[in-house]
Amino acid sequence: MKFFLKCNEAAQVCDKTQYKEASFLDKVMLKVHLLMCKLCRDYTKRNVALTKKIESANIKTLSESEKQQIKNRLQQ
């Protein structure tokens, strides 16, 4: 079993972690990699900050019925 990640693999695991898709082993391997790699630590910090900003933006989207109404108007 491979325990050490390459930087591109660490970035993928970081992204998976942000979306809560990473396994426990993935998270452990990422933490080990982050202990040794400053570039990936910086990437992770930026990724976390971006996710927090997006979550706090309170973005509202159209409901499915509103989208359908717009489609119908455009087709007419």
Side-chain angles (χ1 to χ4, degrees), residues 46-63:
R46 288 191 310 271
N47 205 13
V48 168
L50 178 60
T51 299
K52 285 181 181 179
K53 286 183 182 185
I54 290 171
E55 288 173 352
S56 69
N58 197 18
I59 298 172
K60 294 185 174 48
T61 59
L62 296 174
S63 68

Side-chain angles (χ1 to χ4, degrees), residues 3-4 9 17 19-20 27 30 33 36 42-43 46-47 53-54 56-57 59 61 64-65 67-68 71-73 75:
F3 194 71
F4 294 102
E9 295 168 333
T17 302
Y19 296 109
K20 299 175 179 37
K27 292 176 187 178
L30 177 62
H33 182 86
M36 298 180 282
D42 292 344
Y43 175 83
R46 288 191 310 271
N47 205 13
K53 286 183 182 185
I54 290 171
S56 69
I59 298 172
T61 59
E64 288 301 318
S65 63
K67 290 177 187 178
Q68 189 60 44
K71 287 180 185 178
N72 292 339
R73 287 184 199 155
Q75 289 175 351

Side-chain angles (χ1 to χ4, degrees), residues 32-49:
V32 169
H33 182 86
L34 294 178
L35 288 172
M36 298 180 282
C37 183
K38 182 178 178 354
L39 291 175
C40 289
R41 274 195 309 272
D42 292 344
Y43 175 83
T44 300
K45 286 178 189 175
R46 288 191 310 271
N47 205 13
V48 168

